[in-house]
Amino acid sequence: MTRAVLTALMSHWWRNPLQLFTLLAGLALATALWSGVQAVNAEARASYDAAAATLGEGQYDRFVRRDGLPMDEQVFVEMRRAGWLVSPVVQGRLDGIRIVGVEPLTAPVGLGPVSLGQDNDLAGFLGGDTPFFANADTAAGLSGVDVVISENVAPNTAIADIGAAQRLLDKTGVIDALIILPGQPIGQRAQAEVAPDLVRQVAQGGSDIGRLTDSFHLNLTAFGLLSFAVGIFIVHGAIGLAFEQRRPVVRTLRALGVPLSRLVWLMAVELLLFALLAGIIGVALGYLVAALLLPDVAATLRGLYGADVAGTLQLRPSWWLSGLAIAVGGTAVAASGALAQLSRMPLLAAAQPRALAMAAGRRAKVQGGLALLLLSASLVLMVTADGLVGGFALLGTLLIGAALGLPLILDRLLAVFSTRAKGPVLGWFWADTRQQLPGLSLALMALLLAMAANVGVSTMVSSFRLTFVGFLDQRLASELYIRTEDTAQSDALIAFAEERVDAILPIQSADVTLGGQPAEVFSARDHATYRDNWRFLQSTSDAWDQTFSGQAIVINEQLARRADIALDQVLTLQSRAFTVVGIYGDYGNPIGQAVIAEPVFEALYPEVEAQNFGLRMDPADVENFLSALEAATGIAPTQAVDQAGIKAISLEIFERTFTVTTALNILTLAVAGFAILMSLLTLATMRVPQLAPAWAMGLTRRQLGRIELARAVMLACLTALVALPLGLALAWALLAVVNVAAFGWRLPMYLFPADYLRLAVFALLAAALAAAWPALRLARTPPADLLKVFSNER
Amino acid sequence: MNVRVLLALIFLPIGAWAQGFAGLGTMAGKGFTEPQPGKMFRFPEDHGAHPDYRIEWWYLTANLTDAEGTPYGLQWTLFRTAMAPEESDGWASPQLWMGHAAVTTETKHFVTERLARGGTGQAGVIAAPFSAWIDDWALEGDWQTMQMTASAPDFAYDMTLTAQGPLVFHGDNGFSVKSNSGQASYYYSQPFFAIEGELHLPSGTVAVTGNAWLDREWSSQLLSGDQTGWDWFSLSFDSGDKLMGSRLQQTDGADFTAATWITPDGQTTAFPDGAFNATPLSANDADVPVVWRVTLPQREVDVTVAAINEDAWMTTSVPYWEGPVTVSGTHTGIGYLEMTGYD
Amino acid sequence: MLLDVKNIHKTYQTADGPFEVLRGVDLRLGEGETLALTGESGSGKSTLLHLIGGLDMPDRGAIVINGHDIAGADDAARAAIRRGSVGVVFQQFNLIPSLTVADNIAFQARLADKYDPQWSEALAGTMGLADHLRKYPEQLSGGQQQRVAIARTLAPKPALVLADEPTGNLDEDTARVVMDLMLDLAADTGAGLLMVTHSQALAGRLGRRLHLKAGRIA
């Protein structure tokens, strides 16, 4: 019996290969979207988990000098002898490669990729001519030292014993930090007594690479979540289609004596096989997507945060598994409803439409109630949420609540339209659309989510970009920037430029700890450039005057938020007090920053010599100035960067960041379009009996086809209207909650009506494309099929 | 593989004790000095480090009791191992140091470990004024009165040692033969330390007194290639006599034994292979023998040696068993037992 | 006795409240007997047929087929009866559209594990379907489809054949041909036949006739 039933079930697919294709394609697409995003995420995460682990970043607290400068390595021994289990680290960059020196005997267990492989002995690692460990890519860029290739080492990083790293970095005798091991012994001496210069940095401090890159992952994770939701809708649609189309067959099989339980079981097995097949295809597709996106992701992360991510993708079993699990799990979730419905389906065709309608009404009420509940929760969260978890809960409740509420909203809208409709055709159109709504609602929810995500993410991205460009205008106000090689060149430059330019603005900075946070302090020369171009988020009325008087300091938003510093608070630098008079936006910079007057800076940090200079001049003179400068001082034009160049570089970095976003946007929309197509195909089988009377009463099949198309576009239109406010709410949540939690600054939100319009057009286009084929099929329905409706009882 | 595993490999010279140190025999040479018979010990110099020998240790064990008579065991050990027969300043030093500290009660066993390299000052041994240290742990003094400390996240101790007798030399005036093929070490002890101080345990601080035994040993090739580990007994009889006995296990199942009989005034008698016997009687859950029959017929010794706490396993990079014991039979007393090669 | 229906009651819930379709129906059918069940629309004749076929459950009463009471049986047991002993010919043919004519004819016999290729072939020949075996149902006319359905029902040689307006969707000439074939084959296999029809002419061709009126045998 099983074989006969299975043959009957499967024969359906061979006779209707297109349906098989849609089912498999739907499942595969959903899986691909999910696993693609996951793959990118996992790959990038793995890459800088390795990087972070190298230094114990994000894992271990560390001691650094209060002033941020390197400490004498003897401090390490003193701390050890005082009972502190600490391990020294020296680090720096050489030709762009991060060089890290560690002390393996005292380093915490499992500290990063110092796992060097069994064939390397410590005698080789310690002492004399010790090798550096790096992955193959990095090794190619390291010259002059012995390199051992080890793929466990983070990208663009070379690890060596501390002594060797000190020599290479020219930091003999000094170390940058002491990693504090967990499990300190009892009876140790107070650190303040042993090494009063040191301050303890708590592991999850805001300046970690890990923390920063998390923000990008949040972005991707949000997409992963969305794609998953959209994917589930698709799978649901695909399975609904498969079940709807085989409903009569199922009834016949039961009438012929196939027990219900066996039928349900066999169909479940059949679905499982399809899910696995589609899952494998989907994961492979996802891999392709990920492989295409990854170089951009890597570039983005490197550009934005300086985190090194290998630009290659490894096949990780974890996302093979997660991809298959999503396909199977998604199918199970989507199919459980259909299977339950199947098992409740009365054997006799004489279903009571009224009772079914009543059940559907009840379900709609439950769904509406749930939507209301979720949306209320999101309202509460909008006011209260302040961390990443809260931010994501807000996103989740908002999205799901809105999606669940959509059918109800559309139903109400259509009811209003139908009461106001003039003429019989229009009246029928609205009423018929309303009747179709339950069948289309899943696809429309998918469309809603896709559009809202698009609106939300593009608003965030464009706001980010707009703010950033404005910020570049402020911060790169000088027409020309020149980097000198030494003091002599600096002097020569100043002497040469003094008479020729409007102003020389030396740029000097020192690494410091401000309010317990690592930060850079910059000097500013008293000049209109600052007063004219810098925009404060908060400031006293005469912020620059106060700053240039030497009594005050202005700080960036990150520092203000992380160290909880408000205006008029007093900060100490080298035991000198400064009043905070301004807080400025500082986008794209991971750490805290502050600006003080040049004379004060020079007094506090006499060892810092300016080697970067901003020159104010007529932009038209830049070229002549550069050639004259070279002739007079030997400073090559290659040492100069003009403002336009810096801006272009910065903008390019941003463009790349958002390539990924755009690609995912398009994919999501395409997938939503696919969902619509499948829903319409599902409905098409049920449509003929509904349309036949309209046809019989004088509407041509062409007209019917057009009406069907118009209906899809109209529904997409209405959905777009709901998606816009939802997307804006989403953007607000991303900018005001998630971004603050992840990056440490809040972005002003801008609106981009033209973008939204374009998006809406795309969505309508997707809907129209999806509806075109079913409409065409309808227009070509043989009259005989329509006639059958009247000869056949259904 | 993490750093610790890596280290365990590197510390093979030290690991050599605990595991079959097949490598140690072949690893000799490379310019390391070999112990020779007839050495004239010079003090305080020889209390210090001998960087031209591959391995060396300062190894103290103590049997303690508190006011109620509850027994405790204590261990403080500093190991030195050299990757090259030289010392230099800074990170490039080839001298590596490993400290082990333990406190054993009847029911608990506390263990901790420290690692360091020489050259930086993090660890080392200076002969005069004598000081052996790693991190905040130290053993310091003039060998008459000494201070000793160690600490861990869950325990610490602070002890004062007072010598009650002379140094004793094992084997042939301190030249201690370890196998039939001639592997040997320089080996002397101070078994007559009276010890008092405080143990800081999770349950509170305990004032304790007792006897401590400090071993000094160095060599470049400790065991022959077919030796897999050893069992070492330091027994203090109620009569005032003491017995050091060791049994080196061989891959062929036979063993090589050596022993030193120490009278209360510090007179020693060394016994050659075969005079001293140690036979396992019963083992703990991990198959480590914790009750032994120990005999030295020439001194009419036939005693049972039993662990005070069977679970005195040292969970260090190189694991072994080390703990206090009681002695019963023809002689009664207390002592310490060390067993390697059982992991 | 092949079929013994005793005091069957059945009530449906409708929008206007409960509606009692059958109010105590008794009927008996012996082996080889043919019986026509007539009545007006809504008299309950199709409902009675569905109950006998195990497609629905009575509220009260017994339906004994070959000694088994299916009225109280669970879904699996009723499915087994449908598969093995009872064949139903529906008004709407209920063929499986994705299977060929040959596979459709063999289908129920295969389900019941009673597939006899020669008998199936003979059935197809008798029904005039020999040239259409490789076709799909949608390629056949209504009369041909119903002949496929009848062949499918008879392929496992059921003891009892139930027919619900089997020619209701066919024109008069086709209906007569199909009816002749069904009666002949039923007689050949010795099966009992219970047919629901509103056509007095058709009913007249069967051995006995019962008339249902307002849920009772009139």
Side-chain angles (χ1 to χ4, degrees), chain B residues 71-90:
Chain B
Y72 296 87
L74 175 149
Q75 180 193 347
W76 189 103
T77 311
L78 186 60
F79 301 100
R80 180 189 61 79
T81 185
M83 297 182 289
E86 63 199 22
E87 173 62 308
S88 62
D89 277 347

PDB file of all heavy atoms in Angstrom, chain B residues 71-90:
ATOM      1  N   PRO B  71      46.905  16.022  61.017  1.00  0.00           N
ATOM      2  CA  PRO B  71      48.086  16.048  60.146  1.00  0.00           C
ATOM      3  C   PRO B  71      47.866  16.840  58.856  1.00  0.00           C
ATOM      4  O   PRO B  71      46.761  16.863  58.320  1.00  0.00           O
ATOM      5  CB  PRO B  71      48.305  14.566  59.830  1.00  0.00           C
ATOM      6  CG  PRO B  71      46.949  13.959  59.924  1.00  0.00           C
ATOM      7  CD  PRO B  71      46.184  14.750  60.966  1.00  0.00           C
ATOM      8  N   TYR B  72      48.923  17.489  58.376  1.00  0.00           N
ATOM      9  CA  TYR B  72      48.936  18.184  57.085  1.00  0.00           C
ATOM     10  C   TYR B  72      50.234  17.854  56.376  1.00  0.00           C
ATOM     11  O   TYR B  72      51.231  17.525  57.023  1.00  0.00           O
ATOM     12  CB  TYR B  72      48.892  19.710  57.279  1.00  0.00           C
ATOM     13  CG  TYR B  72      47.629  20.228  57.925  1.00  0.00           C
ATOM     14  CD1 TYR B  72      47.514  20.291  59.309  1.00  0.00           C
ATOM     15  CD2 TYR B  72      46.550  20.659  57.145  1.00  0.00           C
ATOM     16  CE1 TYR B  72      46.363  20.772  59.903  1.00  0.00           C
ATOM     17  CE2 TYR B  72      45.391  21.139  57.737  1.00  0.00           C
ATOM     18  CZ  TYR B  72      45.303  21.191  59.124  1.00  0.00           C
ATOM     19  OH  TYR B  72      44.166  21.657  59.691  1.00  0.00           O
ATOM     20  N   GLY B  73      50.180  17.950  55.048  1.00  0.00           N
ATOM     21  CA  GLY B  73      51.409  17.844  54.278  1.00  0.00           C
ATOM     22  C   GLY B  73      51.614  19.150  53.533  1.00  0.00           C
ATOM     23  O   GLY B  73      50.648  19.853  53.235  1.00  0.00           O
ATOM     24  N   LEU B  74      52.878  19.468  53.247  1.00  0.00           N
ATOM     25  CA  LEU B  74      53.170  20.725  52.542  1.00  0.00           C
ATOM     26  C   LEU B  74      54.306  20.490  51.565  1.00  0.00           C
ATOM     27  O   LEU B  74      55.241  19.729  51.844  1.00  0.00           O
ATOM     28  CB  LEU B  74      53.542  21.798  53.573  1.00  0.00           C
ATOM     29  CG  LEU B  74      53.997  23.174  53.076  1.00  0.00           C
ATOM     30  CD1 LEU B  74      53.583  24.231  54.087  1.00  0.00           C
ATOM     31  CD2 LEU B  74      55.502  23.201  52.858  1.00  0.00           C
ATOM     32  N   GLN B  75      54.200  21.136  50.415  1.00  0.00           N
ATOM     33  CA  GLN B  75      55.267  21.020  49.416  1.00  0.00           C
ATOM     34  C   GLN B  75      55.607  22.382  48.862  1.00  0.00           C
ATOM     35  O   GLN B  75      54.726  23.216  48.625  1.00  0.00           O
ATOM     36  CB  GLN B  75      54.798  20.095  48.265  1.00  0.00           C
ATOM     37  CG  GLN B  75      55.857  19.928  47.165  1.00  0.00           C
ATOM     38  CD  GLN B  75      55.282  19.295  45.899  1.00  0.00           C
ATOM     39  OE1 GLN B  75      54.166  18.773  45.919  1.00  0.00           O
ATOM     40  NE2 GLN B  75      56.039  19.338  44.816  1.00  0.00           N
ATOM     41  N   TRP B  76      56.897  22.634  48.667  1.00  0.00           N
ATOM     42  CA  TRP B  76      57.376  23.852  47.994  1.00  0.00           C
ATOM     43  C   TRP B  76      58.518  23.420  47.105  1.00  0.00           C
ATOM     44  O   TRP B  76      59.521  22.875  47.588  1.00  0.00           O
ATOM     45  CB  TRP B  76      57.864  24.863  49.032  1.00  0.00           C
ATOM     46  CG  TRP B  76      58.186  26.240  48.494  1.00  0.00           C
ATOM     47  CD1 TRP B  76      57.412  27.345  48.607  1.00  0.00           C
ATOM     48  CD2 TRP B  76      59.361  26.655  47.780  1.00  0.00           C
ATOM     49  NE1 TRP B  76      58.016  28.421  48.016  1.00  0.00           N
ATOM     50  CE2 TRP B  76      59.218  28.031  47.491  1.00  0.00           C
ATOM     51  CE3 TRP B  76      60.526  26.002  47.342  1.00  0.00           C
ATOM     52  CZ2 TRP B  76      60.176  28.766  46.791  1.00  0.00           C
ATOM     53  CZ3 TRP B  76      61.495  26.732  46.638  1.00  0.00           C
ATOM     54  CH2 TRP B  76      61.312  28.117  46.376  1.00  0.00           C
ATOM     55  N   THR B  77      58.365  23.601  45.814  1.00  0.00           N
ATOM     56  CA  THR B  77      59.393  23.126  44.898  1.00  0.00           C
ATOM     57  C   THR B  77      59.695  24.158  43.840  1.00  0.00           C
ATOM     58  O   THR B  77      58.787  24.792  43.304  1.00  0.00           O
ATOM     59  CB  THR B  77      58.915  21.845  44.171  1.00  0.00           C
ATOM     60  OG1 THR B  77      58.407  20.941  45.130  1.00  0.00           O
ATOM     61  CG2 THR B  77      60.056  21.206  43.424  1.00  0.00           C
ATOM     62  N   LEU B  78      60.986  24.320  43.573  1.00  0.00           N
ATOM     63  CA  LEU B  78      61.379  25.149  42.434  1.00  0.00           C
ATOM     64  C   LEU B  78      62.230  24.270  41.524  1.00  0.00           C
ATOM     65  O   LEU B  78      63.234  23.708  41.951  1.00  0.00           O
ATOM     66  CB  LEU B  78      62.175  26.364  42.931  1.00  0.00           C
ATOM     67  CG  LEU B  78      62.536  27.386  41.849  1.00  0.00           C
ATOM     68  CD1 LEU B  78      61.290  27.952  41.184  1.00  0.00           C
ATOM     69  CD2 LEU B  78      63.372  28.516  42.449  1.00  0.00           C
ATOM     70  N   PHE B  79      61.770  24.134  40.282  1.00  0.00           N
ATOM     71  CA  PHE B  79      62.523  23.358  39.300  1.00  0.00           C
ATOM     72  C   PHE B  79      63.209  24.313  38.342  1.00  0.00           C
ATOM     73  O   PHE B  79      62.652  25.336  37.972  1.00  0.00           O
ATOM     74  CB  PHE B  79      61.582  22.497  38.449  1.00  0.00           C
ATOM     75  CG  PHE B  79      60.744  21.518  39.204  1.00  0.00           C
ATOM     76  CD1 PHE B  79      59.420  21.801  39.504  1.00  0.00           C
ATOM     77  CD2 PHE B  79      61.266  20.301  39.612  1.00  0.00           C
ATOM     78  CE1 PHE B  79      58.635  20.901  40.177  1.00  0.00           C
ATOM     79  CE2 PHE B  79      60.482  19.395  40.291  1.00  0.00           C
ATOM     80  CZ  PHE B  79      59.162  19.690  40.583  1.00  0.00           C
ATOM     81  N   ARG B  80      64.391  23.919  37.932  1.00  0.00           N
ATOM     82  CA  ARG B  80      65.068  24.655  36.866  1.00  0.00           C
ATOM     83  C   ARG B  80      65.358  23.688  35.737  1.00  0.00           C
ATOM     84  O   ARG B  80      65.728  22.541  35.966  1.00  0.00           O
ATOM     85  CB  ARG B  80      66.391  25.242  37.382  1.00  0.00           C
ATOM     86  CG  ARG B  80      67.179  26.049  36.335  1.00  0.00           C
ATOM     87  CD  ARG B  80      68.574  26.432  36.829  1.00  0.00           C
ATOM     88  NE  ARG B  80      69.379  25.253  37.131  1.00  0.00           N
ATOM     89  CZ  ARG B  80      70.007  24.512  36.202  1.00  0.00           C
ATOM     90  NH1 ARG B  80      69.911  24.825  34.920  1.00  0.00           N
ATOM     91  NH2 ARG B  80      70.712  23.455  36.548  1.00  0.00           N
ATOM     92  N   THR B  81      65.110  24.122  34.515  1.00  0.00           N
ATOM     93  CA  THR B  81      65.511  23.305  33.384  1.00  0.00           C
ATOM     94  C   THR B  81      66.147  24.226  32.360  1.00  0.00           C
ATOM     95  O   THR B  81      65.746  25.371  32.217  1.00  0.00           O
ATOM     96  CB  THR B  81      64.307  22.551  32.779  1.00  0.00           C
ATOM     97  OG1 THR B  81      64.768  21.694  31.752  1.00  0.00           O
ATOM     98  CG2 THR B  81      63.285  23.500  32.177  1.00  0.00           C
ATOM     99  N   ALA B  82      67.175  23.746  31.693  1.00  0.00           N
ATOM    100  CA  ALA B  82      67.912  24.621  30.777  1.00  0.00           C
ATOM    101  C   ALA B  82      67.805  24.092  29.361  1.00  0.00           C
ATOM    102  O   ALA B  82      67.886  22.893  29.124  1.00  0.00           O
ATOM    103  CB  ALA B  82      69.377  24.702  31.189  1.00  0.00           C
ATOM    104  N   MET B  83      67.589  25.035  28.434  1.00  0.00           N
ATOM    105  CA  MET B  83      67.584  24.644  27.029  1.00  0.00           C
ATOM    106  C   MET B  83      69.001  24.724  26.455  1.00  0.00           C
ATOM    107  O   MET B  83      69.269  24.176  25.397  1.00  0.00           O
ATOM    108  CB  MET B  83      66.639  25.547  26.234  1.00  0.00           C
ATOM    109  CG  MET B  83      65.202  25.402  26.705  1.00  0.00           C
ATOM    110  SD  MET B  83      64.047  26.403  25.758  1.00  0.00           S
ATOM    111  CE  MET B  83      64.486  28.016  26.320  1.00  0.00           C
ATOM    112  N   ALA B  84      69.863  25.441  27.169  1.00  0.00           N
ATOM    113  CA  ALA B  84      71.272  25.509  26.781  1.00  0.00           C
ATOM    114  C   ALA B  84      72.074  25.715  28.063  1.00  0.00           C
ATOM    115  O   ALA B  84      71.562  26.298  29.017  1.00  0.00           O
ATOM    116  CB  ALA B  84      71.505  26.671  25.811  1.00  0.00           C
ATOM    117  N   PRO B  85      73.326  25.263  28.104  1.00  0.00           N
ATOM    118  CA  PRO B  85      74.102  25.312  29.352  1.00  0.00           C
ATOM    119  C   PRO B  85      74.667  26.699  29.621  1.00  0.00           C
ATOM    120  O   PRO B  85      75.879  26.873  29.696  1.00  0.00           O
ATOM    121  CB  PRO B  85      75.209  24.288  29.106  1.00  0.00           C
ATOM    122  CG  PRO B  85      75.388  24.283  27.630  1.00  0.00           C
ATOM    123  CD  PRO B  85      74.051  24.567  27.028  1.00  0.00           C
ATOM    124  N   GLU B  86      73.818  27.688  29.702  1.00  0.00           N
ATOM    125  CA  GLU B  86      74.333  29.042  29.905  1.00  0.00           C
ATOM    126  C   GLU B  86      73.217  29.896  30.485  1.00  0.00           C
ATOM    127  O   GLU B  86      72.055  29.488  30.523  1.00  0.00           O
ATOM    128  CB  GLU B  86      74.771  29.645  28.569  1.00  0.00           C
ATOM    129  CG  GLU B  86      73.596  29.779  27.613  1.00  0.00           C
ATOM    130  CD  GLU B  86      74.008  29.942  26.147  1.00  0.00           C
ATOM    131  OE1 GLU B  86      75.133  29.544  25.821  1.00  0.00           O
ATOM    132  OE2 GLU B  86      73.207  30.454  25.373  1.00  0.00           O
ATOM    133  N   GLU B  87      73.557  31.077  30.936  1.00  0.00           N
ATOM    134  CA  GLU B  87      72.539  32.010  31.404  1.00  0.00           C
ATOM    135  C   GLU B  87      72.793  33.326  30.712  1.00  0.00           C
ATOM    136  O   GLU B  87      73.926  33.682  30.410  1.00  0.00           O
ATOM    137  CB  GLU B  87      72.627  32.174  32.940  1.00  0.00           C
ATOM    138  CG  GLU B  87      71.727  33.242  33.540  1.00  0.00           C
ATOM    139  CD  GLU B  87      70.224  32.987  33.329  1.00  0.00           C
ATOM    140  OE1 GLU B  87      69.816  32.757  32.171  1.00  0.00           O
ATOM    141  OE2 GLU B  87      69.467  33.034  34.313  1.00  0.00           O
ATOM    142  N   SER B  88      71.712  34.039  30.374  1.00  0.00           N
ATOM    143  CA  SER B  88      71.894  35.378  29.825  1.00  0.00           C
ATOM    144  C   SER B  88      70.747  36.244  30.300  1.00  0.00           C
ATOM    145  O   SER B  88      69.713  35.748  30.723  1.00  0.00           O
ATOM    146  CB  SER B  88      71.948  35.335  28.299  1.00  0.00           C
ATOM    147  OG  SER B  88      70.727  34.853  27.802  1.00  0.00           O
ATOM    148  N   ASP B  89      70.940  37.560  30.191  1.00  0.00           N
ATOM    149  CA  ASP B  89      69.923  38.474  30.679  1.00  0.00           C
ATOM    150  C   ASP B  89      68.773  38.615  29.697  1.00  0.00           C
ATOM    151  O   ASP B  89      68.946  38.430  28.501  1.00  0.00           O
ATOM    152  CB  ASP B  89      70.563  39.861  30.916  1.00  0.00           C
ATOM    153  CG  ASP B  89      71.236  39.914  32.274  1.00  0.00           C
ATOM    154  OD1 ASP B  89      70.982  38.989  33.080  1.00  0.00           O
ATOM    155  OD2 ASP B  89      72.017  40.848  32.520  1.00  0.00           O
ATOM    156  N   GLY B  90      67.645  38.975  30.230  1.00  0.00           N
ATOM    157  CA  GLY B  90      66.505  39.302  29.369  1.00  0.00           C
ATOM    158  C   GLY B  90      65.746  38.079  28.889  1.00  0.00           C
ATOM    159  O   GLY B  90      65.950  36.957  29.364  1.00  0.00           O
TER     160      GLY B  90
END
